[in-house]
């Protein structure tokens, strides 16, 4: 497990993570989302909806390898989209993912 996956798991246990397309979009619209992680194997419609919403609300998003890695990092089944709702976690995840 990579460092960013461990950190995402920690953020999840701290209840600073939201999963699921509709809930994540709600966090983005409400200004709670600080970073959105999107699985590279997300469907075209989901990808467009999430990236457009993130762009219009100026929320950074990062693409990660696939839905299984995203789910595994959270200790759950496959997840396509995840929002990180705390600035410290978002900043560190951005650093770790940009170094990958």
């Amino acid at each position: 497990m990579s460092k960013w996956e461990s950190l995402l798991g920690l953020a999840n246990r701290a209840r600073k993570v939201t999963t699921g397309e509709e809930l994540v979009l709600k966090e983005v619209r409400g200004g709670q989302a600080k970073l959105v992680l999107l699985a590279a194997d997300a469907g075209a419609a989901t990808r467009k909806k999430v990236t457009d919403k993130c762009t219009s609300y100026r929320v950074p998003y990062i693409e990660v390898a696939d839905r299984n890695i995203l789910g595994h990092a959270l200790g759950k089944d496959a997840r396509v989209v995840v929002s990180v709702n705390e600035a410290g976690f978002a900043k560190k995840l951005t650093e770790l993912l940009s170094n990958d």
Side-chain angles (χ1 to χ4, degrees):
M1 189 181 260
S2 66
K3 283 183 177 174
W4 77 263
E5 290 174 73
S6 301
L7 186 64
L8 186 59
L10 183 65
N12 184 46
R13 288 190 295 280
R15 302 205 181 284
K16 300 296 181 194
V17 170
T18 304
T19 66
E21 185 182 338
E22 290 309 315
L23 292 171
V24 167
L25 292 175
K26 188 175 156 206
E27 298 283 10
V28 170
R29 282 192 297 268
Q32 284 89 16
K34 306 294 181 245
L35 173 68
V36 172
L37 301 176
L38 181 66
D41 59 350
T46 300
R47 172 184 309 282
K48 182 173 178 1
K49 201 185 294 182
V50 170
T51 56
D52 287 357
K53 193 64 73 186
C54 284
T55 303
S56 65
Y57 283 87
R58 292 191 175 85
V59 175
Y61 64 90
I62 299 175
E63 214 168 89
V64 296
D66 64 47
R67 63 184 70 198
N68 294 319
I69 287 177
L70 210 46
H72 178 72
L74 298 168
K76 295 178 162 63
D77 291 334
R79 292 288 187 266
V80 173
V81 62
V82 172
S83 74
V84 179
N85 308 324
E86 199 271 323
F89 282 124
K91 183 174 184 281
K92 189 65 180 163
L93 279 165
T94 304
E95 285 172 21
L96 292 171
L97 283 161
S98 61
N99 294 337
D100 255 7

